[in-house]
Amino acid sequence: MSSQENSSSNGVQIRHSRRLPDFLQSVNLKYVKLGYHYLISHLLTLCLVPLMAVIIVEASRLNLDDIHQLWLQLQYNLVSVVVFSAILVFGSTVYIMTRPRSVFMVDYSCYLPPPHLKVKYQQFIEHSALTGDFDESSLEFQRKILERSGLGEETCVPEAMHYLPPRPSMAAAREEAEQVMFGALDNLFANTNVKPRDIGILVVNCSLFNPTPSLSAMIINKYKFRGNIRSFNLGGMGCSAGVIAVDLAKDMLQVHRNSYAIVVSTENITQNWYFGNKKSMLIPNCLFRVGGAAVLLSNKSADRRRSKYKLVHVVRTHCGANDKAFKCVYQEQDNAGKTGVSLSKDLMAIAGGALKTNITTLGPLVLPISEQILFFVTLVAKKLFNAKIKPYIPDFKLAFDHFCIHAGGRAVIDELEKNLQLLPVHAEASRMTLHRFGNTSSSSIWYELAYTEAKGRMRKGNRVWQIAFGSGFKCNSAVWVAIRNVKPSPNNPWEECIHRYPVQLAL
């Protein structure tokens, strides 16, 4: 058949190609990259297989006389055999005694606020207007922030903020702390069947509310923990303090054998609402909401079978030596003497720098060797040959199956999704947590993990990256691996609403 056809209407000759497309040009390079990663990841195995085959073939050729001669050789060199065995036993003993103890996450629980604490956009703005503390410009600013924040209509504020006028007293702040911490702990103890007196280590983190006695003392008094418990109360450490608390508990579990540790992460809003008109200090009012989590950790080998996850790595980055980083999230008083937390315009840039430093340390610990080779080669080419090569961004999707990005705000999630080249599904847990619960500070990464479990996506061997940012300025990462196919625990905070998620978010 001819490859040319004439148009009957205008006599213009139209040429139609009958050739097949150029498959060499249409092959998706991702398959080439996957092949490369597979080859590098299994390079040692591919090299050892021929060696093992040769050894097996040679061993099969040995007869009884050869084996007898080998035995005689060992008898004549008895001293060498004994010395070698002693060194082997000594080395094995030292290795076993000095290696870090495994830390398991038995279970965790997130606090679910009661329905009457929910606040809708319109209710939020109306109550703000009725307080009489905000001018029209501030009210409009808060309205715009809410519309762009990524928060939904079901986030919760504490009881004291529902009154008109609000009642931010010390008693109300204590009540909020008790409801959140005790609510999470009651559920945790019920789900794990661990008794309070079995707990040897307690770490509590809350940035803005640090009463006397401390929050950790409130928990010890409530549950009657034993007198020799090692308790810690972390304050002023921002939204990344949850990972810091886990790291502290991990270090304590390296020292104290056969122990349970509980980490409680929360934030208190009641006495930290800003009633002024400085724009940079109004943003936290729009983002922060009620929430908290309690986590049970163990170093008991017997707990491995019933635990959900094993802690693999904790990487902490602190940029506080830099003045801009130190003051980018800063609690202060405005010109009218009203206290609040001010967010700098440089916050995203500083967070990006902290993230870069953090993943530079984390990358070699978690990335496959193939990704590290690519990163190293491009780095050397750029440094030595001054080549106009873009820095290679490692593919962290090859290292992690699930991402729990701190739900600090829509912009934070957007930037991490873009810079780490993640797919929408990887940021889904963070976006939905921000939508349903708001920014719950250090506990947000646990609501995100609970979302992943409620969706039935957590499988044995899956690796989870929890990453959080906080004042100071800090970027902290925790890496967990699932020990089994993880199902949501009873009273998971998403239990009643997971069927509605993910929701479509407005652009």
Side-chain angles (χ1 to χ4, degrees):
M1 181 179 292
S2 173
S3 63
Q4 296 179 354
E5 293 180 359
N6 293 327
S7 173
S8 60
S9 59
N10 54 18
V12 178
Q13 192 177 57
I14 302 175
R15 183 177 298 273
H16 296 277
S17 175
R18 302 300 186 193
R19 293 179 299 173
L20 292 172
D22 188 348
F23 286 108
L24 292 177
Q25 297 296 324
S26 63
V27 170
N28 194 327
L29 287 178
K30 74 175 183 179
Y31 296 111
V32 177
K33 188 176 180 180
L34 286 173
Y36 161 75
H37 285 303
Y38 184 84
L39 176 63
I40 296 298
S41 300
H42 296 82
L43 185 61
L44 182 61
T45 302
L46 295 174
C47 293
L48 286 177
V49 166
L51 180 62
M52 291 299 297
V54 171
I55 293 174
I56 292 172
V57 169
E58 291 298 323
S60 65
R61 294 177 179 176
L62 294 176
N63 53 37
L64 292 177
D65 290 337
D66 295 329
I67 296 173
H68 181 67
Q69 290 297 323
L70 181 61
W71 174 249
L72 291 177
Q73 290 293 328
L74 291 175
Q75 287 182 323
Y76 294 146
N77 294 276
L78 184 61
V79 175
S80 299
V81 172
V82 171
V83 171
F84 176 77
S85 300
I87 293 174
L88 183 63
V89 171
F90 177 77
S92 301
T93 303
V94 170
Y95 171 75
I96 293 172
M97 295 296 292
T98 58
R99 68 174 180 174
R101 292 186 176 88
S102 296
V103 174
F104 306 106
M105 185 208 301
V106 180
D107 204 351
Y108 66 99
S109 175
C110 298
Y111 173 68
L112 179 63
H116 72 272
L117 296 183
K118 293 180 181 179
V119 57
K120 296 181 180 293
Y121 289 176
Q122 190 61 32
Q123 181 186 359
F124 181 94
I125 297 299
E126 287 178 357
H127 277 221
S128 297
L130 290 171
T131 62
D133 294 295
F134 307 103
D135 57 30
E136 287 299 323
S137 175
S138 296
L139 291 171
E140 180 62 18
F141 177 77
Q142 291 183 79
R143 185 186 65 80
K144 289 181 178 179
I145 291 294
L146 277 173
E147 291 175 349
R148 302 170 185 173
S149 65
L151 273 70
E153 300 273 10
E154 298 183 83
T155 61
C156 298
V157 296
E159 189 83 43
M161 309 315 297
H162 282 271
Y163 290 102
L164 287 173
R167 303 175 184 175
S169 64
M170 173 65 78
R174 285 183 179 275
E175 184 179 352
E176 179 193 349
E178 290 174 354
Q179 287 177 350
V180 174
M181 296 190 305
F182 299 166
L185 284 166
D186 286 346
N187 191 52
L188 181 67
F189 286 130
N191 290 343
T192 59
N193 292 320
V194 172
K195 298 178 181 178
R197 293 191 64 83
D198 294 334
I199 306 302
I201 300 160
L202 173 65
V203 184
V204 181
N205 70 270
C206 181
S207 290
L208 298 176
F209 182 58
N210 293 285
T212 298
S214 66
L215 298 179
S216 59
M218 289 168 61
I219 293 173
I220 292 170
N221 177 259
K222 162 72 174 178
Y223 294 98
K224 310 304 178 188
F225 286 172
R226 65 197 195 206
N228 65 343
I229 189 170
R230 279 83 176 176
S231 65
F232 303 87
N233 202 94
L234 307 180
M237 304 195 77
C239 300
S240 66
V243 177
I244 297 173
V246 167
D247 191 34
L248 175 56
K250 178 203 73 174
D251 290 343
M252 293 299 295
L253 287 171
Q254 298 304 310
V255 178
H256 302 283
R257 293 175 176 271
N258 296 317
S259 296
Y260 283 118
I262 280 186
V263 171
V264 179
S265 297
T266 186
E267 192 51 86
N268 196 283
I269 299 173
T270 297
Q271 283 194 311
N272 295 286
W273 202 267
Y274 175 62
F275 294 97
N277 292 290
K278 187 176 179 180
K279 300 294 193 294
S280 63
M281 299 171 74
L282 283 169
I283 298 175
N285 285 9
C286 302
L287 297 178
F288 283 89
R289 296 294 185 263
V290 171
V295 185
L296 178 63
L297 303 176
S298 172
N299 60 7
K300 301 180 181 182
S301 56
D303 282 325
R304 179 185 178 90
R305 294 184 63 183
R306 71 170 183 143
S307 296
K308 287 185 171 183
Y309 304 94
K310 177 183 177 182
L311 182 60
V312 183
H313 301 291
V314 176
V315 174
R316 294 167 54 181
T317 301
H318 205 305
C319 305
N322 180 285
D323 290 341
K324 283 188 176 181
F326 175 71
K327 289 193 173 182
C328 71
V329 180
Y330 202 77
Q331 188 178 28
E332 59 184 355
Q333 290 182 322
D334 64 11
N335 295 332
K338 296 182 178 180
T339 303
V341 176
S342 177
L343 303 183
S344 167
K345 293 180 180 179
D346 299 323
L347 177 59
M348 291 307 301
I350 291 167
L355 172 65
K356 181 180 178 181
T357 304
N358 189 267
I359 64 177
T360 300
T361 305
L362 180 67
L365 301 175
V366 297
L367 287 169
I369 189 66
S370 55
E371 282 293 286
Q372 297 186 48
I373 291 174
L374 285 174
F375 177 78
F376 179 75
V377 169
T378 54
L379 181 65
V380 170
K382 191 172 183 64
K383 293 292 184 181
L384 296 183
F385 307 108
N386 198 23
K388 295 182 179 179
I389 301 174
K390 291 183 178 180
Y392 180 72
I393 300 175
D395 188 356
F396 280 91
K397 297 188 294 295
L398 295 171
F400 302 110
D401 302 282
H402 307 286
F403 297 77
C404 296
I405 303 166
H406 166 53
R410 187 172 187 170
V412 174
I413 301 172
D414 287 345
E415 285 300 308
L416 263 72
E417 182 181 2
K418 176 183 176 182
N419 291 330
L420 295 177
Q421 300 177 351
L422 304 180
L423 300 174
V425 68
H426 295 130
E428 181 183 312
S430 301
R431 292 192 190 281
M432 297 306 106
T433 294
L434 182 64
H435 181 271
R436 173 61 184 84
F437 295 100
N439 181 350
T440 61
S441 189
S442 56
S443 63
S444 68
I445 54 178
W446 299 107
Y447 286 92
E448 293 160 16
L449 188 60
Y451 178 90
T452 304
E453 292 180 7
K455 279 293 183 182
R457 296 172 180 172
M458 193 64 67
R459 294 288 179 263
K460 182 179 180 180
N462 281 182
R463 293 165 73 90
V464 183
W465 182 13
Q466 291 180 320
I467 182 166
F469 301 91
S471 58
F473 188 83
K474 300 179 285 293
C475 176
N476 299 320
S477 295
V479 179
W480 305 85
V481 61
I483 298 176
R484 52 186 169 85
N485 293 344
V486 181
K487 297 180 180 180
S489 300
N491 297 317
N492 179 288
W494 298 91
E495 195 171 67
E496 300 299 327
C497 63
I498 192 63
H499 62 280
R500 296 190 276 113
Y501 288 88
V503 297
Q504 186 67 36
L505 300 177
L507 299 177

